[in-house]
Amino acid sequence: MEFDEWEPVYEAIRRDFGYDRDGDERARDVLASLTEPFDLERLDAADGATVAIAGAGPNLSDELDDAREADVVFAASTAADTLLEAGVGVDCMVTDLDKNPDTVRRLTERETPVAVHAHGDNVAQLRAVVPGCRGEWLLPTTQVAPRGPVRNLGGFTDGDRAAFLADHLGAARLRFVGWTFDDPSVGPTKARKLEWAERLLHWLERRRGERFDVLDGRRGSIETTPLPIE
């Protein structure tokens, strides 16, 4: 996805949450200074594959078999821990470093790619975690314009960024496991983030010409503004 296509969506998200674009750009530049270009060929297995996009919802433990059956598994944040503890291989972890930095370091040591995201609120985590990782296994990402080694492949939350990454890599099918949009245990800010994740997945499925099972029964109530959906 080109940044020109993503930027209006980013601006809508930024306004909704009151994010500071300057802060996001500063975080991107910090991440750029700490990382090197990532070779996307390390994730070639996703091309033409069925990719499980594992969210960290409370239902993930009940859907482990669906993840096992996929060709490739991309895990959002702590979903990686749940999968690894259950013996399910993780091919890429997607995170903004808000929870499990030890898992990030451990996966890079095992030569498993980790997509690390920079935004205005996580500069301290970037400085604390990134230098302790094997740099060639880190894919640095941003939600503003890409710069240096830092890419913008689309997406907002860890989970939907994993889906946009798989799409960019040429995945033939996306399978969603461990996703719960209506989670009564989360606070209002997290609930709003889940609403945006739902909207972005709806946009992505329309772009791909694929219907995601995780959105079945929900499409009629999804707010599509300002997404470029006809």
Side-chain angles (χ1 to χ4, degrees), residues 29 37 69 85 95 106 108 112 126 192-193 195 206:
D29 294 344
E69 292 171 2
E85 289 167 6
T95 179
R106 186 167 66 251
T108 65
T112 297
L126 295 173
R192 210 153 84 248
K193 289 181 177 180
E195 289 176 6
R206 295 290 293 268

Side-chain angles (χ1 to χ4, degrees), residues 3-120:
F3 181 67
D4 287 349
E5 185 178 8
W6 168 252
E7 186 174 21
V9 180
Y10 164 70
E11 283 295 328
I13 294 170
R14 185 187 65 77
R15 289 191 299 270
D16 189 17
F17 289 90
Y19 294 151
D20 174 25
R21 183 166 185 153
D22 289 343
D24 285 339
E25 290 173 344
R26 285 193 295 271
R28 172 204 60 198
D29 294 344
V30 168
L31 184 56
S33 73
L34 296 171
T35 54
E36 57 194 68
F38 177 81
D39 184 358
L40 285 177
E41 291 186 1
R42 296 184 188 278
L43 291 168
D44 267 357
D47 188 11
T50 295
V51 179
I53 308 298
N59 55 326
L60 177 57
S61 296
D62 298 326
E63 299 178 357
L64 294 172
D65 286 344
D66 290 332
R68 288 190 180 95
E69 292 171 2
D71 303 315
V72 172
V73 177
F74 286 3
S77 186
T78 57
D81 299 308
T82 301
L83 292 168
L84 293 169
E85 289 167 6
V88 180
V90 172
D91 298 285
C92 182
M93 177 184 178
V94 179
T95 179
D96 66 355
L97 304 179
D98 66 336
K99 290 188 174 72
N100 50 350
D102 289 340
T103 305
V104 174
R105 297 186 187 98
R106 186 167 66 251
L107 286 175
T108 65
E109 288 297 323
R110 295 178 181 177
E111 300 185 349
T112 297
V114 178
V116 171
H117 192 69
H119 56 71

Side-chain angles (χ1 to χ4, degrees), residues 194-211:
L194 290 173
E195 289 176 6
W196 269 104
E198 184 180 54
R199 293 164 78 178
L200 292 171
L201 290 186
H202 186 38
W203 181 32
L204 183 61
E205 71 169 4
R206 295 290 293 268
R207 286 169 51 89
R208 289 175 56 85
E210 179 182 4
R211 289 176 70 85

